[in-house]
């Protein structure tokens, strides 16, 4: 009698294990399908998520408030990669205030950076992002990147804003210099 209970228990455990594995696989497939549905859009254009980053900091004895909002922008030309995938480009709104006074209130697109980026790269790239970086004696620094969508190919840019609101841009060649030096 005891042996029958052990066999019955073992059989139930095996059935439960098989049912659990098939259920887990089904749930995983449903989750993957749901994720694909969320990223797919009716017009076939892939869009990055909207982001909104806010920072406050002290610079030159004043309190600054920085807001950077990235949005997919359907008014900009669609970017198509070599595989024919279509991507919406982004616009980025930068708002910088000091002690309640507006310093910068500007919307950036990749076109703003065309003087610093090769036109052939720019055609297949999007404005990926911009973030507050740091402050130095030269001003308030933001890091921005123009990239080929869904790849590691990008051009880093440094945006410096003076307390008077003057904007200057330079390419951040530091990463390229690291690669050229063998990663040192």
């Amino acid at each position: 009698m005891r042996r029958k209970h052990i066999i019955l228990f073992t059989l139930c455990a095996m059935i439960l294990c098989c049912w659990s594995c098939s259920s887990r696989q089904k749930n995983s497939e449903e989750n993957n399908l749901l994720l694909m549905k969320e990223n797919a859009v009716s017009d076939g254009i892939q869009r990055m998520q909207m982001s909104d980053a806010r920072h406050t900091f002290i610079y030159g004895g004043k309190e600054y408030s920085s807001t950077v909002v990235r949005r997919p922008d359907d008014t900009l030309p669609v970017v198509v990669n070599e595989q024919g995938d279509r991507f919406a480009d982004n616009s980025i709104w930068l708002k910088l205030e000091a002690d309640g006074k507006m310093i910068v209130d500007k919307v950036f697109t990749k076109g703003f950076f065309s003087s610093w980026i090769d036109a052939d790269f720019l055609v297949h790239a999007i404005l990926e992002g911009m973030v507050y970086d740091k402050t130095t004696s030269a001003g308030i620094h933001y890091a921005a990147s123009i990239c080929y969508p869904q790849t590691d190919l990008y051009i880093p840019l440094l945006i410096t804003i003076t307390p008077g609101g003057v904007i200057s841009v330079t390419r951040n060649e530091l990463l390229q210099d690291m690669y050229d030096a063998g990663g040192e």
Side-chain angles (χ1 to χ4, degrees):
M1 185 69 150
R2 185 177 181 137
R3 187 172 187 197
K4 285 184 181 178
H5 287 299
I6 293 173
I7 292 173
L8 184 59
F9 177 74
T10 305
L11 184 59
C12 288
M14 289 174 53
I15 290 171
L16 183 61
C17 182
C18 289
W19 177 76
S20 173
C21 289
S22 69
S23 176
R24 199 175 304 138
Q25 182 179 2
K26 183 178 178 185
N27 285 340
S28 176
E29 290 171 0
E30 288 172 358
N31 288 341
N32 287 342
L33 184 58
L34 181 60
L35 183 61
M36 287 178 7
K37 284 182 182 176
E38 287 176 359
N39 288 334
V41 289
S42 61
D43 60 5
I45 298 172
Q46 298 179 48
R47 292 170 176 81
M48 294 181 73
Q49 290 182 343
M50 188 180 130
S51 66
D52 185 340
R54 299 169 189 265
H55 296 281
T56 57
F57 53 90
I58 304 294
Y59 179 68
K62 293 182 180 180
E63 181 176 79
Y64 283 78
S65 173
S66 169
T67 303
V68 179
V69 178
R70 178 191 67 206
R71 289 190 174 105
D73 192 335
D74 291 331
T75 66
L76 298 171
V78 171
V79 173
V80 180
N81 68 8
E82 292 176 352
Q83 292 77 31
D85 298 324
R86 298 164 29 123
F87 300 90
D89 204 345
N90 300 302
S91 60
I92 297 178
W93 174 47
L94 172 62
K95 182 177 159 186
L96 181 64
E97 296 176 276
D99 291 336
K101 180 184 171 204
M102 188 65 64
I103 306 298
V104 173
D105 186 1
K106 179 163 182 57
V107 175
F108 291 87
T109 64
K110 72 178 179 186
F112 177 83
F113 302 101
S114 62
S115 297
W116 296 275
I117 298 176
D118 182 58
D120 291 334
F121 186 89
L122 211 53
V123 167
H124 300 288
I126 62 172
L127 176 56
E128 181 181 36
M130 181 186 298
V131 295
Y132 166 78
D133 185 23
K134 62 185 175 184
T135 60
T136 65
S137 60
I140 301 150
H141 299 277
Y142 291 83
S145 64
I146 308 285
C147 75
Y148 282 171
Q150 297 182 339
T151 71
D152 292 336
L153 298 173
Y154 71 99
I155 296 176
L157 300 158
L158 294 176
I159 300 167
T160 303
I161 301 173
T162 66
V166 176
I167 299 171
S168 62
V169 177
T170 57
R171 279 181 65 154
N172 186 354
E173 301 295 340
L174 180 60
L175 291 174
Q176 185 62 41
D177 293 344
M178 269 184 20
Y179 290 120
D180 289 345
E184 296 175 0

